[in-house]
Coordinates of all heavy atoms in Angstrom, one line a residue:
F1 N 0.9 -1.2 0.0 CA 0.0 0.0 0.0 C 0.9 1.2 0.0 O 1.7 1.4 0.9 CB -0.9 0.0 1.3 CG -1.9 1.0 1.3 CD1 -3.2 0.8 0.7 CD2 -1.7 2.2 2.1 CE1 -4.2 1.7 0.8 CE2 -2.7 3.1 2.1 CZ -3.9 2.9 1.5
D2 N 0.8 2.1 -1.0 CA 1.5 3.3 -1.1 C 0.6 4.5 -1.0 O -0.5 4.5 -1.7 CB 2.3 3.4 -2.4 CG 3.3 2.3 -2.6 OD1 4.3 2.4 -1.9 OD2 3.1 1.3 -3.3
I3 N 0.9 5.5 -0.2 CA 0.1 6.7 -0.1 C 1.0 7.9 -0.1 O 2.1 7.9 0.5 CB -0.8 6.6 1.1 CG1 -1.8 7.8 1.1 CG2 0.0 6.5 2.4 CD1 -2.9 7.6 2.1
A4 N 0.6 8.9 -0.8 CA 1.4 10.2 -0.9 C 0.4 11.3 -0.6 O -0.7 11.3 -1.1 CB 2.1 10.3 -2.2
F5 N 0.9 12.3 0.1 CA 0.2 13.6 0.4 C 1.0 14.7 -0.2 O 2.2 14.9 0.1 CB 0.0 13.8 1.9 CG -0.7 12.7 2.6 CD1 0.1 11.7 3.3 CD2 -2.0 12.6 2.6 CE1 -0.6 10.7 4.0 CE2 -2.7 11.6 3.3 CZ -2.0 10.6 4.0
L6 N 0.4 15.4 -1.2 CA 1.1 16.5 -1.9 C 0.4 17.8 -1.6 O -0.8 17.8 -1.7 CB 1.1 16.2 -3.4 CG 1.9 15.0 -3.9 CD1 1.0 13.8 -3.9 CD2 2.4 15.3 -5.3
L7 N 1.2 18.8 -1.3 CA 0.6 20.1 -1.0 C 1.2 21.2 -1.9 O 2.3 21.2 -2.3 CB 1.0 20.5 0.5 CG 0.3 19.7 1.5 CD1 1.0 19.9 2.9 CD2 -1.1 20.2 1.7
A8 N 0.3 22.2 -2.2 CA 0.7 23.3 -3.0 C 0.0 24.5 -2.4 O -1.2 24.4 -2.0 CB 0.3 23.2 -4.5
P9 N 0.6 25.7 -2.4 CA -0.1 26.9 -1.9 C -1.2 27.2 -2.8 O -1.2 27.0 -4.0 CB 1.0 28.0 -2.0 CG 2.3 27.3 -2.2 CD 2.0 25.9 -2.8
A10 N -2.3 27.8 -2.2 CA -3.4 28.2 -3.0 C -3.8 29.6 -2.5 O -3.2 30.1 -1.5 CB -4.6 27.3 -2.8
A11 N -4.7 30.3 -3.1 CA -5.1 31.6 -2.8 C -5.4 31.8 -1.4 O -6.0 30.9 -0.7 CB -6.2 32.1 -3.7
E12 N -5.2 33.0 -0.9 CA -5.6 33.5 0.4 C -5.1 32.6 1.6 O -5.9 32.3 2.5 CB -7.1 33.6 0.5 CG -7.6 34.6 -0.6 CD -9.1 34.7 -0.7 OE1 -9.8 34.2 0.2 OE2 -9.6 35.3 -1.6
G13 N -3.9 32.1 1.5 CA -3.4 31.3 2.6 C -3.9 29.8 2.7 O -3.7 29.1 3.7
N14 N -4.6 29.4 1.7 CA -5.1 28.0 1.6 C -4.1 27.1 1.0 O -3.0 27.5 0.5 CB -6.4 28.0 0.8 CG -7.5 28.7 1.5 OD1 -7.6 28.7 2.7 ND2 -8.3 29.4 0.7
S15 N -4.4 25.8 1.0 CA -3.5 24.8 0.3 C -4.4 23.9 -0.6 O -5.5 23.6 -0.3 CB -2.9 23.9 1.4 OG -2.1 24.6 2.3
D16 N -3.8 23.4 -1.6 CA -4.3 22.3 -2.4 C -3.7 21.1 -2.0 O -2.4 21.0 -2.0 CB -4.1 22.6 -3.9 CG -5.1 23.7 -4.4 OD1 -6.2 23.9 -3.8 OD2 -4.7 24.4 -5.4
L17 N -4.5 20.1 -1.6 CA -4.0 18.8 -1.1 C -4.4 17.7 -2.1 O -5.5 17.7 -2.5 CB -4.6 18.5 0.3 CG -4.4 17.1 0.8 CD1 -2.9 16.8 1.1 CD2 -5.2 16.8 2.0
V18 N -3.4 16.9 -2.5 CA -3.7 15.8 -3.3 C -3.2 14.5 -2.6 O -2.1 14.5 -2.1 CB -2.9 15.8 -4.7 CG1 -3.2 14.6 -5.5 CG2 -3.3 17.1 -5.5
V19 N -4.2 13.6 -2.4 CA -3.9 12.3 -1.8 C -3.9 11.2 -2.9 O -4.9 11.0 -3.5 CB -4.9 12.0 -0.7 CG1 -4.6 10.7 0.0 CG2 -5.0 13.1 0.3
Q20 N -2.7 10.6 -3.0 CA -2.6 9.5 -4.0 C -2.4 8.2 -3.3 O -1.6 8.0 -2.5 CB -1.4 9.8 -4.9 CG -1.5 11.0 -5.7 CD -0.2 11.4 -6.4 OE1 0.9 11.0 -6.0 NE2 -0.4 12.1 -7.6
V21 N -3.3 7.2 -3.7 CA -3.3 5.9 -3.0 C -3.1 4.8 -4.1 O -3.8 4.9 -5.1 CB -4.6 5.7 -2.2 CG1 -4.6 4.3 -1.5 CG2 -4.9 6.8 -1.3
R22 N -2.3 3.9 -3.8 CA -2.1 2.7 -4.6 C -2.1 1.4 -3.7 O -1.3 1.4 -2.8 CB -0.8 2.7 -5.4 CG -0.8 3.7 -6.5 CD 0.4 3.6 -7.4 NE 1.6 3.4 -6.6 CZ 2.7 4.0 -6.7 NH1 2.9 4.8 -7.7 NH2 3.7 3.7 -5.9
A23 N -2.9 0.5 -4.0 CA -3.0 -0.8 -3.3 C -2.7 -1.9 -4.2 O -3.3 -2.0 -5.3 CB -4.4 -0.9 -2.6
T24 N -1.9 -2.8 -3.8 CA -1.5 -4.0 -4.7 C -1.7 -5.3 -3.8 O -0.8 -5.6 -3.0 CB -0.1 -3.9 -5.2 OG1 0.1 -2.6 -5.8 CG2 0.3 -5.0 -6.1
P25 N -2.8 -5.9 -4.0 CA -3.0 -7.2 -3.3 C -2.0 -8.2 -3.8 O -1.6 -8.2 -4.9 CB -4.4 -7.6 -3.7 CG -5.1 -6.3 -4.1 CD -4.0 -5.5 -4.7
K26 N -1.5 -9.1 -2.8 CA -0.5 -10.0 -3.1 C -1.0 -11.5 -2.9 O -1.9 -11.7 -2.1 CB 0.7 -9.8 -2.3 CG 1.4 -8.4 -2.5 CD 2.7 -8.2 -1.7 CE 2.7 -8.7 -0.3 NZ 3.9 -8.3 0.4
G27 N -0.4 -12.4 -3.6 CA -0.7 -13.8 -3.4 C -2.2 -14.1 -3.7 O -2.8 -13.5 -4.6
V28 N -2.8 -14.9 -2.8 CA -4.2 -15.3 -3.0 C -5.1 -14.1 -2.8 O -6.2 -14.1 -3.4 CB -4.5 -16.4 -2.0 CG1 -4.6 -15.9 -0.6 CG2 -5.9 -17.0 -2.4
F29 N -4.6 -13.0 -2.2 CA -5.4 -11.8 -2.0 C -5.6 -11.0 -3.3 O -6.5 -10.1 -3.3 CB -4.9 -10.9 -0.9 CG -5.0 -11.6 0.5 CD1 -4.0 -12.3 1.0 CD2 -6.2 -11.4 1.1 CE1 -4.2 -12.9 2.3 CE2 -6.4 -12.0 2.4 CZ -5.4 -12.8 2.9
R30 N -4.9 -11.4 -4.3 CA -5.2 -10.8 -5.6 C -6.6 -11.0 -6.1 O -7.1 -10.3 -6.9 CB -4.2 -11.3 -6.7 CG -2.8 -10.7 -6.5 CD -1.9 -11.1 -7.6 NE -1.8 -12.6 -7.5 CZ -0.8 -13.3 -7.9 NH1 0.3 -12.7 -8.4 NH2 -0.8 -14.6 -7.8
L31 N -7.2 -12.1 -5.6 CA -8.5 -12.4 -6.0 C -9.5 -11.4 -5.4 O -10.6 -11.2 -6.0 CB -9.0 -13.8 -5.4 CG -8.2 -15.0 -5.9 CD1 -8.5 -16.2 -5.1 CD2 -8.5 -15.2 -7.4
F32 N -9.1 -10.6 -4.4 CA -9.9 -9.5 -3.9 C -9.7 -8.2 -4.5 O -10.3 -7.2 -4.1 CB -9.7 -9.4 -2.4 CG -10.1 -10.6 -1.6 CD1 -9.1 -11.6 -1.2 CD2 -11.4 -10.9 -1.3 CE1 -9.5 -12.7 -0.5 CE2 -11.8 -12.0 -0.6 CZ -10.9 -12.9 -0.2
T33 N -8.9 -8.1 -5.6 CA -8.7 -6.9 -6.3 C -10.0 -6.2 -6.7 O -10.1 -4.9 -6.5 CB -7.8 -7.1 -7.5 OG1 -6.5 -7.6 -7.1 CG2 -7.5 -5.8 -8.3
P34 N -11.0 -6.8 -7.2 CA -12.3 -6.1 -7.6 C -12.9 -5.5 -6.3 O -13.5 -4.4 -6.4 CB -13.1 -7.2 -8.2 CG -12.2 -8.2 -8.7 CD -11.0 -8.2 -7.7
L35 N -12.9 -6.2 -5.2 CA -13.4 -5.6 -4.0 C -12.6 -4.4 -3.5 O -13.2 -3.4 -3.1 CB -13.4 -6.7 -2.9 CG -13.9 -6.2 -1.5 CD1 -15.4 -5.8 -1.6 CD2 -13.7 -7.3 -0.5
V36 N -11.3 -4.5 -3.6 CA -10.5 -3.4 -3.2 C -10.8 -2.2 -4.1 O -10.9 -1.0 -3.7 CB -9.0 -3.7 -3.3 CG1 -8.1 -2.5 -3.1 CG2 -8.6 -4.8 -2.2
A37 N -11.0 -2.4 -5.4 CA -11.3 -1.4 -6.4 C -12.6 -0.7 -6.1 O -12.7 0.5 -6.3 CB -11.3 -1.9 -7.8
R38 N -13.6 -1.4 -5.5 CA -14.9 -0.9 -5.2 C -14.8 -0.1 -3.9 O -15.5 0.9 -3.7 CB -15.9 -2.0 -5.1 CG -16.6 -2.3 -6.3 CD -17.9 -3.1 -6.1 NE -17.8 -4.2 -5.2 CZ -17.4 -5.4 -5.5 NH1 -17.0 -5.7 -6.7 NH2 -17.3 -6.3 -4.6
T39 N -14.0 -0.6 -2.9 CA -14.0 0.0 -1.6 C -13.0 1.1 -1.4 O -13.2 2.0 -0.6 CB -13.9 -1.0 -0.5 OG1 -12.6 -1.7 -0.7 CG2 -15.0 -2.0 -0.5
L40 N -11.9 1.1 -2.1 CA -10.9 2.1 -2.0 C -11.3 3.5 -2.1 O -11.0 4.4 -1.3 CB -9.7 1.8 -2.9 CG -8.4 2.7 -2.7 CD1 -7.8 2.4 -1.3 CD2 -7.4 2.4 -3.8
P41 N -12.1 3.9 -3.1 CA -12.5 5.3 -3.3 C -13.3 5.8 -2.1 O -13.1 6.8 -1.5 CB -13.4 5.3 -4.6 CG -12.8 4.1 -5.4 CD -12.5 3.1 -4.3
K42 N -14.3 5.0 -1.6 CA -15.1 5.4 -0.5 C -14.3 5.5 0.8 O -14.4 6.5 1.5 CB -16.3 4.4 -0.3 CG -17.2 4.8 0.8 CD -18.4 3.8 0.9 CE -19.3 4.1 2.0 NZ -20.4 3.2 2.2

């Protein structure tokens, strides 16, 4: 599981935040990739 938080300055002292997530099921858990794909966004 890889996750990155990227920040950039935005107008009026705010920030733009980007959260990037990558999940790679391994072994027999690769069978759960469709479930991970459905639940990861939520």
Side-chain angles (χ1 to χ4, degrees):
F1 188 83
D2 296 287
I3 187 165
F5 303 99
L6 296 86
L7 287 164
E12 300 175 15
N14 294 322
S15 301
D16 286 331
L17 170 67
V18 177
V19 180
Q20 298 172 332
V21 182
R22 287 188 319 223
T24 308
K26 299 187 313 187
V28 70
F29 289 95
R30 287 184 299 209
L31 298 172
F32 294 101
T33 299
L35 177 63
V36 173
R38 270 195 317 276
T39 60
L40 185 64
K42 183 177 179 181

